[in-house]
Amino acid sequence: MRFLLQFYQQLQALRYAVEEINRSSDILPNATLGFYAYDSCAAMRNELQGTLWMLTGLSQEIPNYCCRESPPLSAIIGHSKSSFSMLMAHILGLYRFPQVGIARRCIWKKAASNDDYGFEGLKIMKDEITKGGACVAYTVYIATNQDNKNMPDIVQMIKESTANVIIVFSADIFLFPLLDEMVNQNVTGKQFVASEGWSVSDIFTNYSKILSGTIGFAIQSSNIPGFQEYLNSVNPYNTPGTTWSKMFWEEAFNCSFSQPENQTLNLSKTKKTCTGDENLEHVQSGYNDVSTLRSSYNFYTSVYVTAKALDDLSRCQSLDGALPGAKCSDLTNFGPWQLTHYIKNVRVKLRNGRQVFFHKDGNPPAVYDIINLQPESNGTLKQVKVGSYDTLNSSGEIFSLDTSSVWWATSNAEIPLSVCSQSCPVGFKKVAKKGEPVCCFQCVPCSQGEISNQTDSIECWSCPWDMWPNSARDRCIVKPIEFLSYEDPLGIILAATSFLSSMVPIFIFRLFIHYKSTPIVRANNYSVSCILLVSLSFCFLCALAFIGYPQPEKCLLRQAAFGLVFTLCVSCILAKTVIVVFAFMATKPGSSLKKWTTPRVPYMIITICTFIQLTLCIFWLSISPPFPQYNIEAKPGIIVVECNENSQFAFWCMLGYLGFLATVSFTVAFLARRLPDNFNEAKLITFSMLAFLSVWVYFIPASLSAQGKYTVAMEIFAILTSSWALVFCMFLPKCFIILFRPDMNSRDNLMGKDRSSR
């Protein structure tokens, strides 16, 4: 088995950090750190055995026993492979031992190794790819047990797929079967995206034809001052782990230490003998490059995190304060759960100025370099940093990529395309097909009010509020403005109807003046009838305030004017109704209602009822005055200029009060309809109020269903119709008698029916 120099370098980084801290007077000044190192050879069984061995404190693992008295085991730095570190976490959690991981994860993927690292990465990656609007054309798992019988089928699928970008979430050692099969089937031109598990691995030299152009996420690294010299000072005889040191030495210098007890191998005849005095400077001169120091730097940082947590424990210092009710712990005797508390809240400032800390879920902030594998003239791959992903970037720019520095895997060295559908023209957007990956889409026209002015648009853009798409939906044009104007045919008809209708009450008013001495005019309260006729004329005319461009003054006053004149009308009718009832009831002997039959009573009723409506309108106009607005929601493609009532509550209070007066008038008149008289006005009031209420009850759903200028037209129609209902029901019978049946306009006729009945 090949001895990997990078793993030995990681061990030296751990050792260097421990020695550096032991020399420091800032962290643990009165304590000395030590460490145990265990090689699991990437075997799950060995990992389990080694974890129990460290917990037991003996060469033999014994569950639930700890035979180490001192020094205490503080924390364990986990395996660089997540499958192993997760196994360790299950065991260490039972004993409440903290584990500091050295590997971070990123969330991208298409092919995954068949282990926890691949499974967990795939789950997160799929969610993030979907959120980003991309798709996964296929998902395959690479076996980790060397059983890759289906690898030819996997590579055949990759070869035939139109997806040209392959995201691989795996450790480096599991990729060889996939890459070997791609070489056998001559699959090229695929753009790889690498997870941090293999992006900077140096064992893929023979696959440069396939992996050239790979974009990878790599754990961010930094220079460790003095580490280069420390590596060069390593000696197989004075370094902890003599066996590993000799294996490293033999691998580095291609030599062999003499082994007289094993002469059968006769290694000395094929390799030179190692002396231990060889110079490491040339062999390791490139080991301080950031591409090879990434994992080692994480080991270095993990040691400092553990040491800072121990230092905080000894001083009872933490961002969250000391443990509740606890005293400062003795570093020679403390529980591992105590250190866990401080590790969770630790903050370590490194030499490069960055701070290391952990989120609530136990992960450090995501900080990655984005590297590009670029081919060199000698056939090797060079790792070039082309961007970064840094959630701690002070500028707020988390993701950055210099595309001009990227070497792409395509034949024309341009950004690769990975699509399964044709481009969408302008005026359309891409929509994923149901049951297929989102990269397989169909082109659909932009929605109403939206445009797209470029091909392959993934979304359409809304036009400005005062503009609307043209027929091709590739540009915005100015919206037409709509309001009920005097130039509009509907506006002309309503305005003419309003003006001509206002003449009818005036004509009746003149008729009443001419015949004011006749019994039928005098019997129905001449003065109140005149007030009612004048207010009805104003009711017809107030409809004109709703026609024309909605000016601020017009919006402010039109609803209030409508409410007041109609309240005046209904108040006059209510006064008539009450007087009719009081007049007949006061004829009974000993009635106390005689004092309410004076001429002042109807005017009091009219004044009080109108004043209440006036008060409501003043409050409305003072607190939430109506105003003109541009409504772009009512009718698509049109700007409706309208008055916003500002307070729907105030508007409906005004209209509700008017309805209340009409309901009271109707109720009283209905109850008084059988009072004796040849011409009982209560009957006319009953019909007029019934018609009035019916019009406004139907107006509510009609106005809610109408849009634009037709909403205004609907209210005008309700005003005119309800006004005509009052004119028709209240005054048409009287005018008919005055003009065409003068014989009925006499006191004897009005009282005759009453006498005959008696």
Side-chain angles (χ1 to χ4, degrees):
M1 180 179 291
R2 181 185 176 189
F3 185 87
L4 297 178
L5 300 180
Q6 64 189 47
F7 293 158
Y8 189 73
Q9 183 197 75
Q10 295 166 9
L11 174 63
Q12 299 308 315
L14 183 147
R15 177 186 165 211
Y16 179 70
V18 169
E19 294 180 6
E20 194 174 54
I21 292 170
N22 288 337
R23 294 193 303 267
S24 173
S25 60
D26 297 327
I27 301 179
L28 298 174
N30 298 320
T32 302
L33 292 180
F35 66 91
Y36 295 98
Y38 184 85
D39 184 9
S40 65
C41 296
M44 195 73 75
R45 181 180 181 278
N46 293 347
E47 189 71 20
L48 176 61
Q49 185 180 36
T51 303
L52 293 174
W53 171 77
M54 287 185 285
L55 293 174
T56 303
L58 296 175
S59 58
Q60 180 181 1
E61 62 279 0
I62 305 175
N64 299 326
Y65 281 89
C66 181
C67 301
R68 180 191 298 106
E69 295 183 357
S70 65
L73 178 63
S74 303
I76 294 178
I77 297 178
H79 199 285
S80 60
K81 195 168 181 294
S82 61
S83 299
F84 292 79
S85 62
M86 290 175 69
L87 172 65
M88 292 176 65
H90 290 304
I91 300 174
L92 296 175
L94 298 175
Y95 298 92
R96 304 173 73 181
F97 263 94
Q99 177 184 201
V100 182
I102 62 129
R104 308 176 196 174
R105 301 292 175 247
C106 82
I107 49 180
W108 298 68
K109 168 133 197 66
K110 248 185 195 174
S113 56
N114 191 15
D115 58 4
D116 289 330
Y117 178 57
F119 285 139
E120 293 298 324
L122 175 62
K123 180 181 177 182
I124 299 174
M125 181 277 304
K126 276 190 171 181
D127 292 339
E128 294 300 321
I129 283 183
T130 303
K131 289 179 184 178
C135 73
V136 178
Y138 52 83
T139 301
V140 297
Y141 292 95
I142 303 171
T144 59
N145 56 3
Q146 305 302 321
D147 182 12
N148 292 286
K149 296 179 181 179
N150 62 338
M151 194 57 68
D153 296 332
I154 293 176
V155 174
Q156 185 65 28
M157 179 178 61
I158 294 175
K159 186 176 183 179
E160 296 176 354
S161 174
T162 58
N164 293 321
V165 178
I166 305 174
I167 305 175
V168 182
F169 206 106
S170 174
D172 51 5
I173 60 175
F174 301 133
L175 287 182
F176 287 108
L178 174 66
L179 299 177
D180 287 338
E181 187 60 32
M182 291 184 71
V183 171
N184 293 337
Q185 297 191 27
N186 193 26
V187 179
T188 58
K190 299 293 183 180
Q191 176 69 48
F192 279 87
V193 177
S195 68
E196 96 292 348
W198 66 279
S199 60
V200 294
S201 178
D202 59 355
I203 61 177
F204 296 123
T205 304
N206 296 332
Y207 304 100
S208 60
K209 185 178 180 181
I210 298 175
L211 297 180
S212 293
T214 296
I215 298 290
F217 284 79
I219 298 171
Q220 191 187 50
S221 181
S222 182
N223 184 47
I224 303 176
F227 188 49
Q228 175 67 62
E229 293 76 12
Y230 185 83
L231 287 176
N232 292 339
S233 67
V234 170
N235 186 281
Y237 300 111
N238 64 1
T239 303
T242 305
T243 302
W244 294 337
S245 298
K246 289 184 176 181
M247 293 173 65
F248 158 71
W249 208 264
E250 290 176 344
E251 180 71 22
F253 295 103
N254 193 24
C255 63
S256 174
F257 288 93
S258 59
Q259 298 176 340
E261 69 279 4
N262 193 10
Q263 292 293 340
T264 56
L265 295 179
N266 200 17
L267 295 176
S268 59
K269 293 185 178 180
T270 58
K271 293 183 179 180
K272 63 182 180 180
T273 302
C274 298
T275 65
D277 296 327
E278 288 82 359
N279 189 355
L280 286 172
E281 184 175 354
H282 175 72
V283 175
Q284 296 183 338
S285 60
Y287 274 31
N288 256 347
D289 183 74
V290 292
S291 63
T292 60
L293 275 181
R294 297 182 190 276
S295 297
S296 298
Y297 189 75
N298 268 12
F299 274 95
Y300 179 83
T301 303
S302 299
V303 174
Y304 266 90
V305 167
T306 306
K308 183 61 169 62
L310 283 168
D311 189 63
D312 290 342
L313 174 67
S314 66
R315 304 170 189 265
C316 289
Q317 296 296 319
S318 173
L319 291 179
D320 292 342
L323 291 176
K327 297 181 180 179
C328 294
S329 300
D330 182 1
L331 289 182
T332 62
N333 184 20
F334 64 90
W337 60 271
Q338 292 177 288
L339 182 61
T340 303
H341 170 81
Y342 287 93
I343 289 179
K344 288 180 179 179
N345 299 283
V346 74
R347 278 189 177 268
V348 181
K349 187 173 183 180
L350 303 177
R351 294 189 181 184
N352 59 6
R354 285 191 174 273
Q355 280 196 341
V356 178
F357 59 93
F358 300 101
H359 296 303
K360 291 182 179 180
D361 57 1
N363 290 322
V367 181
Y368 296 96
D369 290 337
I370 300 176
I371 58 99
N372 180 221
L373 301 184
Q374 300 183 2
E376 302 228 89
S377 57
N378 59 0
T380 60
L381 294 174
K382 179 183 179 182
Q383 300 171 7
V384 179
K385 180 180 177 180
V386 293
S388 64
Y389 182 90
D390 187 356
T391 57
L392 296 180
N393 195 326
S394 58
S395 66
E397 186 179 8
I398 296 178
F399 180 82
S400 64
L401 180 67
D402 182 10
T403 55
S404 62
S405 301
V406 177
W407 193 95
W408 301 104
T410 55
S411 57
N412 54 6
E414 295 182 355
I415 297 176
L417 296 177
S418 185
V419 297
C420 68
S421 299
Q422 297 300 318
S423 298
C424 293
V426 295
F428 289 78
K429 65 178 179 179
K430 299 190 295 185
V431 175
K433 295 180 180 179
K434 187 176 181 180
E436 297 185 24
V438 294
C439 58
C440 298
F441 54 84
Q442 58 184 353
C443 300
V444 298
C446 289
S447 302
Q448 188 172 263
E450 297 181 335
I451 65 166
S452 68
N453 54 10
Q454 60 186 14
T455 59
D456 285 334
S457 177
I458 60 174
E459 61 180 5
C460 297
W461 299 274
S462 298
C463 288
W465 69 271
D466 59 343
M467 304 188 77
W468 191 250
N470 61 351
S471 58
R473 299 189 179 185
D474 60 349
R475 64 186 181 90
C476 298
I477 58 177
V478 178
K479 288 181 180 179
I481 295 178
E482 178 187 280
F483 60 92
L484 188 61
S485 68
Y486 286 104
E487 290 79 19
D488 190 288
L490 180 59
I492 294 173
I493 293 173
L494 293 175
T497 303
S498 174
F499 178 76
L500 294 176
S501 298
S502 68
M503 297 293 103
V504 175
I506 299 300
F507 170 77
I508 298 174
F509 178 68
R510 291 173 62 89
L511 187 66
F512 270 41
I513 292 176
H514 188 268
Y515 292 96
K516 66 180 179 179
S517 60
T518 61
I520 197 170
V521 176
R522 293 172 60 86
N524 292 289
N525 202 324
Y526 167 74
S527 299
V528 175
S529 296
C530 290
I531 296 175
L532 177 58
L533 286 169
V534 173
S535 61
L536 279 172
S537 180
F538 280 113
C539 285
F540 284 116
L541 290 176
C542 77
L544 297 176
F546 292 83
I547 305 175
Y549 191 88
Q551 300 290 346
E553 300 81 6
K554 186 181 293 186
C555 289
L556 182 68
L557 298 175
R558 69 178 191 178
Q559 294 289 7
F562 151 70
L564 287 172
V565 295
F566 266 85
T567 300
L568 181 60
C569 285
V570 178
S571 298
C572 291
I573 296 174
L574 178 61
K576 280 175 165 286
T577 308
V578 173
I579 291 301
V580 169
V581 175
F582 284 178
F584 281 99
M585 295 181 67
T587 59
K588 296 180 181 180
S591 176
S592 61
L593 293 176
K594 289 183 179 181
K595 62 181 179 180
W596 295 103
T597 59
T598 62
R600 291 180 300 176
V601 173
Y603 301 114
M604 290 175 56
I605 295 174
I606 295 172
T607 302
I608 293 173
C609 294
T610 306
F611 179 77
I612 294 175
Q613 185 71 289
L614 177 63
T615 304
L616 288 174
C617 291
I618 290 175
F619 273 107
W620 179 14
L621 300 183
S622 302
I623 299 175
S624 298
F627 57 90
Q629 72 171 11
Y630 293 116
N631 189 340
I632 61 174
E633 303 293 337
K635 301 180 71 174
I638 296 175
I639 299 177
V640 177
V641 187
E642 62 184 12
C643 291
N644 188 320
E645 314 307 344
N646 199 355
S647 174
Q648 289 295 319
F649 175 77
F651 171 75
W652 288 109
C653 282
M654 180 269 291
L655 201 60
Y657 176 72
L658 185 60
F660 169 75
L661 292 180
T663 303
V664 173
S665 298
F666 169 76
T667 304
V668 176
F670 180 79
L671 296 175
R673 72 191 186 282
R674 297 189 183 278
L675 292 176
D677 196 343
N678 193 37
F679 190 80
N680 186 355
E681 197 175 24
K683 297 177 182 178
L684 301 180
I685 295 174
T686 300
F687 286 113
S688 64
M689 288 296 98
L690 182 62
F692 180 87
L693 289 171
S694 299
V695 169
W696 287 105
V697 167
Y698 282 110
F699 161 75
I700 295 174
S703 64
L704 295 177
S705 61
Q707 292 181 339
K709 65 181 180 181
Y710 297 103
T711 303
V712 179
M714 190 63 64
E715 186 169 357
I716 295 175
F717 180 78
I719 292 173
L720 297 178
T721 305
S722 59
S723 300
W724 268 111
L726 297 179
V727 171
F728 186 86
C729 295
M730 289 292 296
F731 295 102
L732 183 63
K734 301 174 185 179
C735 293
F736 178 79
I737 292 174
I738 293 173
L739 296 176
F740 302 106
R741 295 294 302 274
D743 57 308
M744 297 179 63
N745 191 3
S746 65
R747 182 178 179 81
D748 292 338
N749 181 70
L750 293 177
M751 305 300 293
K753 185 176 181 181
D754 186 44
R755 291 196 186 95
S756 62
S757 64
R758 287 198 295 267

PDB file of all heavy atoms in Angstrom, residues 299-311:
ATOM      1  N   PHE A 299      -5.933  20.751  10.541  1.00  0.00           N
ATOM      2  CA  PHE A 299      -5.430  20.092  11.746  1.00  0.00           C
ATOM      3  C   PHE A 299      -4.811  21.132  12.685  1.00  0.00           C
ATOM      4  O   PHE A 299      -5.046  21.111  13.899  1.00  0.00           O
ATOM      5  CB  PHE A 299      -4.384  19.037  11.380  1.00  0.00           C
ATOM      6  CG  PHE A 299      -4.967  17.701  11.049  1.00  0.00           C
ATOM      7  CD1 PHE A 299      -5.241  17.334   9.741  1.00  0.00           C
ATOM      8  CD2 PHE A 299      -5.260  16.801  12.059  1.00  0.00           C
ATOM      9  CE1 PHE A 299      -5.781  16.100   9.435  1.00  0.00           C
ATOM     10  CE2 PHE A 299      -5.800  15.561  11.766  1.00  0.00           C
ATOM     11  CZ  PHE A 299      -6.067  15.204  10.455  1.00  0.00           C
ATOM     12  N   TYR A 300      -4.043  22.006  12.105  1.00  0.00           N
ATOM     13  CA  TYR A 300      -3.395  23.079  12.874  1.00  0.00           C
ATOM     14  C   TYR A 300      -4.450  23.932  13.597  1.00  0.00           C
ATOM     15  O   TYR A 300      -4.330  24.218  14.792  1.00  0.00           O
ATOM     16  CB  TYR A 300      -2.556  23.920  11.905  1.00  0.00           C
ATOM     17  CG  TYR A 300      -1.835  25.091  12.519  1.00  0.00           C
ATOM     18  CD1 TYR A 300      -0.602  24.930  13.156  1.00  0.00           C
ATOM     19  CD2 TYR A 300      -2.373  26.374  12.442  1.00  0.00           C
ATOM     20  CE1 TYR A 300       0.074  26.018  13.709  1.00  0.00           C
ATOM     21  CE2 TYR A 300      -1.713  27.468  12.984  1.00  0.00           C
ATOM     22  CZ  TYR A 300      -0.495  27.285  13.622  1.00  0.00           C
ATOM     23  OH  TYR A 300       0.165  28.356  14.162  1.00  0.00           O
ATOM     24  N   THR A 301      -5.514  24.289  12.879  1.00  0.00           N
ATOM     25  CA  THR A 301      -6.576  25.110  13.467  1.00  0.00           C
ATOM     26  C   THR A 301      -7.341  24.348  14.534  1.00  0.00           C
ATOM     27  O   THR A 301      -7.708  24.902  15.578  1.00  0.00           O
ATOM     28  CB  THR A 301      -7.544  25.573  12.359  1.00  0.00           C
ATOM     29  OG1 THR A 301      -6.815  26.289  11.361  1.00  0.00           O
ATOM     30  CG2 THR A 301      -8.637  26.471  12.921  1.00  0.00           C
ATOM     31  N   SER A 302      -7.599  23.058  14.291  1.00  0.00           N
ATOM     32  CA  SER A 302      -8.351  22.254  15.257  1.00  0.00           C
ATOM     33  C   SER A 302      -7.623  22.165  16.592  1.00  0.00           C
ATOM     34  O   SER A 302      -8.257  22.171  17.657  1.00  0.00           O
ATOM     35  CB  SER A 302      -8.596  20.851  14.693  1.00  0.00           C
ATOM     36  OG  SER A 302      -9.361  20.907  13.508  1.00  0.00           O
ATOM     37  N   VAL A 303      -6.306  22.062  16.559  1.00  0.00           N
ATOM     38  CA  VAL A 303      -5.531  22.015  17.805  1.00  0.00           C
ATOM     39  C   VAL A 303      -5.687  23.329  18.562  1.00  0.00           C
ATOM     40  O   VAL A 303      -5.873  23.346  19.785  1.00  0.00           O
ATOM     41  CB  VAL A 303      -4.049  21.714  17.509  1.00  0.00           C
ATOM     42  CG1 VAL A 303      -3.212  21.819  18.789  1.00  0.00           C
ATOM     43  CG2 VAL A 303      -3.901  20.335  16.894  1.00  0.00           C
ATOM     44  N   TYR A 304      -5.632  24.451  17.837  1.00  0.00           N
ATOM     45  CA  TYR A 304      -5.772  25.753  18.491  1.00  0.00           C
ATOM     46  C   TYR A 304      -7.179  25.939  19.072  1.00  0.00           C
ATOM     47  O   TYR A 304      -7.355  26.542  20.127  1.00  0.00           O
ATOM     48  CB  TYR A 304      -5.449  26.878  17.506  1.00  0.00           C
ATOM     49  CG  TYR A 304      -4.010  27.323  17.598  1.00  0.00           C
ATOM     50  CD1 TYR A 304      -3.025  26.726  16.815  1.00  0.00           C
ATOM     51  CD2 TYR A 304      -3.617  28.312  18.489  1.00  0.00           C
ATOM     52  CE1 TYR A 304      -1.698  27.115  16.901  1.00  0.00           C
ATOM     53  CE2 TYR A 304      -2.293  28.721  18.581  1.00  0.00           C
ATOM     54  CZ  TYR A 304      -1.333  28.118  17.795  1.00  0.00           C
ATOM     55  OH  TYR A 304      -0.013  28.507  17.898  1.00  0.00           O
ATOM     56  N   VAL A 305      -8.198  25.417  18.378  1.00  0.00           N
ATOM     57  CA  VAL A 305      -9.562  25.493  18.899  1.00  0.00           C
ATOM     58  C   VAL A 305      -9.669  24.734  20.217  1.00  0.00           C
ATOM     59  O   VAL A 305     -10.233  25.231  21.202  1.00  0.00           O
ATOM     60  CB  VAL A 305     -10.564  24.926  17.865  1.00  0.00           C
ATOM     61  CG1 VAL A 305     -11.935  24.699  18.510  1.00  0.00           C
ATOM     62  CG2 VAL A 305     -10.695  25.868  16.683  1.00  0.00           C
ATOM     63  N   THR A 306      -9.110  23.523  20.243  1.00  0.00           N
ATOM     64  CA  THR A 306      -9.163  22.714  21.466  1.00  0.00           C
ATOM     65  C   THR A 306      -8.388  23.385  22.589  1.00  0.00           C
ATOM     66  O   THR A 306      -8.858  23.443  23.740  1.00  0.00           O
ATOM     67  CB  THR A 306      -8.605  21.311  21.186  1.00  0.00           C
ATOM     68  OG1 THR A 306      -9.295  20.727  20.075  1.00  0.00           O
ATOM     69  CG2 THR A 306      -8.765  20.416  22.400  1.00  0.00           C
ATOM     70  N   ALA A 307      -7.220  23.907  22.271  1.00  0.00           N
ATOM     71  CA  ALA A 307      -6.396  24.544  23.295  1.00  0.00           C
ATOM     72  C   ALA A 307      -7.070  25.805  23.847  1.00  0.00           C
ATOM     73  O   ALA A 307      -7.040  26.055  25.064  1.00  0.00           O
ATOM     74  CB  ALA A 307      -5.026  24.890  22.713  1.00  0.00           C
ATOM     75  N   LYS A 308      -7.681  26.597  22.975  1.00  0.00           N
ATOM     76  CA  LYS A 308      -8.368  27.817  23.440  1.00  0.00           C
ATOM     77  C   LYS A 308      -9.557  27.458  24.327  1.00  0.00           C
ATOM     78  O   LYS A 308      -9.834  28.129  25.339  1.00  0.00           O
ATOM     79  CB  LYS A 308      -8.851  28.631  22.236  1.00  0.00           C
ATOM     80  CG  LYS A 308      -9.517  29.965  22.613  1.00  0.00           C
ATOM     81  CD  LYS A 308      -8.560  30.880  23.348  1.00  0.00           C
ATOM     82  CE  LYS A 308      -9.109  32.297  23.496  1.00  0.00           C
ATOM     83  NZ  LYS A 308     -10.334  32.370  24.265  1.00  0.00           N
ATOM     84  N   ALA A 309     -10.284  26.380  23.984  1.00  0.00           N
ATOM     85  CA  ALA A 309     -11.398  25.945  24.820  1.00  0.00           C
ATOM     86  C   ALA A 309     -10.897  25.497  26.187  1.00  0.00           C
ATOM     87  O   ALA A 309     -11.509  25.791  27.225  1.00  0.00           O
ATOM     88  CB  ALA A 309     -12.162  24.815  24.130  1.00  0.00           C
ATOM     89  N   LEU A 310      -9.769  24.768  26.229  1.00  0.00           N
ATOM     90  CA  LEU A 310      -9.180  24.361  27.506  1.00  0.00           C
ATOM     91  C   LEU A 310      -8.746  25.580  28.325  1.00  0.00           C
ATOM     92  O   LEU A 310      -8.922  25.623  29.546  1.00  0.00           O
ATOM     93  CB  LEU A 310      -7.986  23.445  27.255  1.00  0.00           C
ATOM     94  CG  LEU A 310      -8.303  21.995  26.874  1.00  0.00           C
ATOM     95  CD1 LEU A 310      -7.048  21.295  26.379  1.00  0.00           C
ATOM     96  CD2 LEU A 310      -8.900  21.247  28.063  1.00  0.00           C
ATOM     97  N   ASP A 311      -8.195  26.565  27.637  1.00  0.00           N
ATOM     98  CA  ASP A 311      -7.773  27.783  28.328  1.00  0.00           C
ATOM     99  C   ASP A 311      -8.977  28.514  28.916  1.00  0.00           C
ATOM    100  O   ASP A 311      -8.938  28.987  30.057  1.00  0.00           O
ATOM    101  CB  ASP A 311      -7.017  28.685  27.348  1.00  0.00           C
ATOM    102  CG  ASP A 311      -6.371  29.865  28.054  1.00  0.00           C
ATOM    103  OD1 ASP A 311      -5.485  29.645  28.904  1.00  0.00           O
ATOM    104  OD2 ASP A 311      -6.773  31.008  27.765  1.00  0.00           O
TER     105      ASP A 311
END
